[in-house]
Amino acid sequence: MPTTARTYWLTSPCRLRRQDQSLRIERDGHDPRHIPITDVRDIIAAAEVDLNTAMISLLNKHRINVHFLSHYGDYAGSLLPADTATSSHTVLAQAQLAADPDASLPIARALVDAAAFNIRWVIDRRLLHEPYQTLKDTAKTATSRGELMAAEGNFRRSAWEVLDTKLPDWLQLAGRHRRPPTNAGNAVISYVNGLVYSRALTALRLTPLHTGIGFLHSTLERHRHSLALDLAELFKPLFAERLLLRLAGRRQLKPHHFDTTANQAMLSAKGRTLIIENVRNDLATTVTHRGLNRKVAYDELLYLDALALTRTCLEESPYKPFRIWW
């Protein structure tokens, strides 16, 4: 993303306090850590965090987003600054585009197709070839968002079945279960998806788009930013399923990384740390961009796709969502 500031990941309980123009992180049993506020782009709180009004005022002044994950790793909410880059001209164009089925359906169709393409690339291009072709055929004739999302759901069920064949028994999903996750594999997917959603929201907040007006997910979606849900769909496979396969293949995930009961599972403190370290490394990984002819980090890919959506809204140019090419 176009800034030298960094994302800070809070993986253990702490207090955030303001000290002049710095952020002070206080943890029991540790010396306070001081960070210049200009070094902070956004914060992801993966553990309990205590804030006071002085800290919130400083975050708001410098337009710093704080994203919170729940005890189970689901996205719980965000503390967003009042002043954003949102432009009324862009929002009006975005709203008009989203409200016009003839204009918005091709965008939704492109999102579903690209997300399925990325899932197939990550899991197995051969075994998912036929389900992907079925999705493409169904998407071409779909006349509503609901039909598109139903087709996407059918494809994802096929993808998760193939994914399970590549995982050890104890990490298999056995179907997708979210709130709460019912087993270790679902716990990993849910946790990483929450992180990806947070990154998508930060990327969109750097553009003049309104995060509540989506093209695939309903604009009336409560408690969520519909456009961030749209954007996150494209990048979840790059981080979630891919990371689960990698950690399973390297035998880095162990049962002690999870706290499990009869009907639910969640990452332990060590498990959350392991996942966050890997996601941070993935976000910093670079690839040569074919259009820009320069190296970009995975993190910047989300911002570039948000810019592509902005151009579509303002210039009515065809939207070409992110597809993994390397």
Side-chain angles (χ1 to χ4, degrees), residues 2-122:
T3 177
T4 58
R6 296 184 292 168
T7 296
Y8 280 83
W9 304 72
L10 306 177
T11 58
S12 58
C14 63
R15 293 174 296 277
L16 297 184
R17 295 293 182 262
R18 176 177 183 171
Q19 185 168 335
D20 299 323
Q21 294 300 306
S22 294
L23 183 155
R24 188 174 76 245
I25 303 177
E26 301 174 353
R27 291 186 173 91
D28 293 339
H30 297 82
D31 293 334
R33 181 180 179 186
H34 296 82
I35 301 171
I37 198 65
T38 53
D39 188 46
V40 183
R41 177 177 63 203
D42 62 346
I43 297 170
I44 295 182
E48 293 183 7
V49 175
D50 178 61
L51 299 168
N52 59 20
T53 53
M55 186 71 252
I56 293 172
S57 176
L58 183 65
L59 294 169
N60 188 66
K61 178 181 177 181
H62 291 271
R63 296 177 57 198
I64 295 172
N65 305 313
V66 185
H67 306 295
F68 300 94
L69 300 184
S70 74
H71 189 61
Y72 296 104
D74 294 323
Y75 172 81
S78 296
L79 177 63
L80 303 174
D83 181 29
T84 71
T86 303
S87 156
S88 59
H89 175 67
T90 306
V91 172
L92 284 172
Q94 180 185 357
Q96 291 172 355
L97 193 62
D100 181 357
D102 291 335
S104 63
L105 199 60
I107 298 175
R109 189 177 290 118
L111 284 165
V112 167
D113 189 358
F117 177 92
N118 292 338
I119 293 170
R120 174 176 171 262
W121 183 92
V122 166

Side-chain angles (χ1 to χ4, degrees), residues 119 123-124 127-128 156-177 182-186 189 241 244-245 248:
I119 293 170
I123 296 178
D124 194 302
L127 292 178
L128 288 176
R156 283 186 178 273
R157 280 188 284 275
S158 298
W160 292 324
E161 290 175 2
V162 174
L163 177 63
D164 277 352
T165 66
K166 300 174 179 295
L167 296 171
D169 291 346
W170 72 278
L171 275 176
Q172 291 177 7
L173 275 64
R176 188 74 177 95
H177 307 280
T182 56
N183 51 44
N186 273 285
I189 296 293
E241 284 87 352
L244 179 58
L245 285 169

Side-chain angles (χ1 to χ4, degrees), residues 2-3 7 48 88 94 98-99 124-125 132 140 160 167 180 198 211 239 251 263 285 290:
T3 177
T7 296
E48 293 183 7
S88 59
Q94 180 185 357
D124 194 302
R125 280 171 277 190
Y132 177 58
K140 287 179 182 177
W160 292 324
L167 296 171
S198 298
T211 59
F239 295 98
R251 299 183 179 179
N263 297 313
T285 301
R290 294 182 297 182

Side-chain angles (χ1 to χ4, degrees), residues 154-223:
N154 289 334
F155 173 80
R156 283 186 178 273
R157 280 188 284 275
S158 298
W160 292 324
E161 290 175 2
V162 174
L163 177 63
D164 277 352
T165 66
K166 300 174 179 295
L167 296 171
D169 291 346
W170 72 278
L171 275 176
Q172 291 177 7
L173 275 64
R176 188 74 177 95
H177 307 280
R178 297 172 176 81
R179 297 185 182 90
T182 56
N183 51 44
N186 273 285
V188 172
I189 296 293
S190 291
Y191 198 82
V192 179
N193 284 351
L195 296 176
V196 174
Y197 175 82
S198 298
R199 305 310 307 138
L201 183 54
T202 289
L204 289 166
R205 295 274 293 183
L206 294 172
T207 73
L209 295 168
H210 193 292
T211 59
I213 303 175
F215 296 98
L216 177 61
H217 293 85
S218 172
T219 297
L220 301 178
E221 181 83 22
R222 295 185 62 189
H223 311 305

